[in-house]
Amino acid sequence: MARSVGVLLAAGAGRRYGKPKVLVEGWLDAAVTALLGGGCDDVVVVLGAAEVSIPAGATAVVAPDWDQGLSASVRAGLAQADRMGADYAVLHVIDTPGTGPDVVARVLGRAAASPGGLARAHFGDRPGHPVVLARRHWPAVLARLSGDRGAAGFLSGRDDVEIVECGDLADGRDVDEP
């Protein structure tokens, strides 16, 4: 059976928000619950700007170069997912607290059932998170990472990414200000 690891990208300083978003009350628990409840076997929480206690069922990893942007977090998270023997990485972000287990389950299910092993949540006409990447794509994803861009550079323009409409389950909005 395929093993899925949720990678929660939570290392940023949250400059526009005024503090690291991993410190916002309830967001870390909500994201870990969404990933575990949505079918992930394990969850990796990528930290950087702030250290926090991690909920049960999750493992913390620090991106030492977190201040270089989202790409550093994705690198650290995929490296840990690799060590955990994951077949799929479910990339999720800390600042979408309205995204629940039903969204994760839908996107993960579509990726696992597709020949490409790639899926991305969409909320109406807006792409969002989670993003699911089969292991075979990780080297190409890592090669395209830079600065404050995650897997978007790898995903854009591909015709094998499952677009998974989730607007009926959540709004998928990133919360950037208090």
Side-chain angles (χ1 to χ4, degrees):
M1 179 173 227
R3 181 171 174 73
S4 301
V5 171
V7 176
L8 181 60
L9 306 171
R15 287 178 189 87
R16 286 177 290 178
Y17 197 86
K19 67 179 178 182
K21 295 175 187 177
V22 73
L23 299 175
V24 176
E25 182 74 32
W27 284 10
L28 177 58
D29 288 333
V32 170
T33 297
L35 289 164
L36 290 173
C40 294
D41 298 295
D42 289 297
V43 173
V44 174
V45 179
V46 183
L47 299 173
E51 291 185 28
V52 297
S53 296
I54 301 299
T59 300
V61 63
V62 174
D65 53 348
W66 65 267
D67 58 342
Q68 300 296 309
L70 189 59
S71 61
S73 296
V74 174
R75 272 193 295 281
L78 288 179
Q80 182 62 34
D82 181 53
R83 289 189 289 274
M84 295 173 136
D87 299 299
Y88 292 92
V90 182
L91 303 182
H92 192 37
V93 290
I94 190 73
D95 60 355
T96 56
T99 300
D102 46 356
V103 173
V104 174
R106 184 180 287 177
V107 179
L108 180 55
R110 284 280 292 281
S114 75
L118 297 168
R120 183 171 199 174
H122 273 245
F123 302 90
D125 60 350
R126 220 171 10 85
H129 288 87
V131 171
V132 180
L133 308 167
R135 173 186 278 279
R136 67 183 174 273
H137 298 292
W138 298 358
V141 169
L142 291 167
R144 300 278 310 266
L145 291 175
S146 68
D148 206 27
R149 286 187 53 119
F154 169 78
L155 296 171
S156 67
R158 295 183 66 100
D159 61 4
D160 59 347
V161 179
E162 296 288 322
I163 303 303
V164 185
E165 179 53 49
C166 296
D168 60 319
L169 302 174
D171 67 13
R173 295 208 184 276
D174 293 353
V175 180
D176 288 329
E177 297 176 354

